[in-house]
Amino acid sequence: MKATIFVALTYLVSWLLVGLYFALGGTWTMPGSLILSVVYMFVPMTVALVVQKALYKAAAKGPLRINFRPNRWFVVAWLLPPAIALATIGVSVLFPGVSLTTGIDGMLERFQNVFTPQQIEQMKQQAESLPIHPFWLALLQGLIAGVTINAVAAFGEELGWRGLLQRELSHLGFWRSSAMVGVIWGIWHAPIILQGHNYPQHPWAGVLMMTVFTVLLSPLMAYVTDKANSVIAAAVFHGTLNATAGLALIVVRGGNDLTVGMTGLAGFITLSLANLGLFLFTQRAAATSRAQPSCALGAAPLHNGEHGWTSRS
């Protein structure tokens, strides 16, 4: 019931927010679209706190895993997104008509419906004046932003998705609960996807594509969150992903928003391989665990965030 209330209120508030923005004359251009996107990201957090504390009179810090104590999984959350972006470049160039480029013209062409011509020209001039290639600067900036300002904004989503919803659906098991969270998370993006976010060339197909993307991404984020026992790790993962996803487009020419980039088919293939690796790893770990004798007669299995899938507390 708590999950249902959370999802219903999150959808209602989020979609009303977008509707109000456009009813008041807003357009999907900078800086308005950026401001709306940031505010939109904090809706799941706000609703999660209202549901957890106001409606259910329950604590938030422990149950929602608001844990700032870092561990090695925070590093994984920080470095895995750019690794996925780099791998996606390699997959993208396997597609017909797609190639590597030393400039950024290919990336700028994809954002003609997002930025004004003046903004695109300004971005091109700035890139040409840089002492190093924009790719390396974007990587450095992405890594810094991923654990700072982007992580703060991503926390607005992750307290809802990986904090409350993943916990409430944990009875379904890891893979099914991750898929369910991914579907809900993806559909939640629909109003801004239809405005051209991530898929400016194919906004209607983009709704389905975004949902596939979040379904494939969800198990990786859920696993890191469980192992770190912290929704802050999920915020670092999400923030760094948002900051470095563009790496997969900067040096790629050709294709479109459905085929290249992390949110395109190339990204889906990369994430599918990552999920396959995660599945094989967890299966092997489970088999090894079953093969080891218990440390004490009648000892109960561990089910906390660091050693198991169960995230309820």
Side-chain angles (χ1 to χ4, degrees), residues 122-135:
Q122 184 179 19
M123 291 169 62
K124 184 177 180 180
Q125 292 177 357
Q126 290 175 344
E128 293 174 346
S129 64
L130 293 174
I132 60 174
H133 195 280
F135 178 89

Side-chain angles (χ1 to χ4, degrees), residues 227-247:
K227 300 300 285 186
N229 194 29
S230 173
V231 75
I232 306 303
V236 170
F237 192 122
H238 192 156
T240 308
L241 178 82
N242 286 351
T244 60
L247 295 173

Side-chain angles (χ1 to χ4, degrees), residues 260-273:
V260 298
M262 288 184 66
T263 54
L265 182 57
F268 296 174
I269 294 173
T270 304
L271 289 172
S272 296
L273 292 173

Side-chain angles (χ1 to χ4, degrees), residues 76-277:
V76 174
W78 185 45
L79 297 181
L80 186 56
I84 294 173
L86 293 174
T88 300
I89 295 174
V91 176
S92 294
V93 297
L94 298 177
F95 290 7
V98 179
S99 61
L100 292 176
T101 176
T102 57
I104 63 170
D105 291 342
M107 185 190 71
L108 293 179
E109 290 174 358
R110 306 180 203 282
F111 295 100
Q112 289 179 350
N113 295 332
V114 178
F115 299 100
T116 64
Q118 293 79 9
Q119 289 172 324
I120 292 178
E121 181 61 28
Q122 184 179 19
M123 291 169 62
K124 184 177 180 180
Q125 292 177 357
Q126 290 175 344
E128 293 174 346
S129 64
L130 293 174
I132 60 174
H133 195 280
F135 178 89
W136 302 112
L137 182 61
L139 175 59
L140 178 61
Q141 290 178 333
L143 288 172
I144 295 173
V147 292
T148 53
I149 186 170
N150 274 32
V152 173
F155 179 76
E157 285 193 45
E158 291 307 318
L159 190 65
W161 306 135
R162 250 58 60 178
L164 188 146
L165 190 58
Q166 188 79 37
R167 176 177 184 269
E168 293 301 314
L169 298 179
S170 62
H171 63 280
L172 298 175
F174 175 78
W175 291 101
R176 284 191 293 175
S177 64
S178 296
M180 183 65 72
V181 171
V183 170
I184 294 169
W185 182 24
I187 296 174
W188 172 76
H189 287 86
I192 60 175
I193 296 297
L194 290 174
Q195 299 303 319
H197 180 66
N198 284 347
Y199 301 93
Q201 298 167 312
H202 304 88
W204 287 95
V207 175
L208 175 61
M209 294 289 288
M210 188 66 188
T211 304
V212 173
F213 173 68
T214 52
V215 167
L216 291 172
L217 186 62
S218 188
L220 302 176
M221 297 188 68
Y223 185 80
V224 169
T225 303
D226 281 339
K227 300 300 285 186
N229 194 29
S230 173
V231 75
I232 306 303
V236 170
F237 192 122
H238 192 156
T240 308
L241 178 82
N242 286 351
T244 60
L247 295 173
L249 293 173
I250 291 179
V251 293
V252 172
R253 181 188 295 276
N256 57 50
D257 52 18
L258 299 181
T259 57
V260 298
M262 288 184 66
T263 54
L265 182 57
F268 296 174
I269 294 173
T270 304
L271 289 172
S272 296
L273 292 173
N275 277 289
L276 176 61

Side-chain angles (χ1 to χ4, degrees), residues 292-307:
Q292 293 177 345
S294 300
C295 60
L297 184 62
L302 294 171
H303 289 291
N304 59 34
E306 179 65 23
H307 299 282

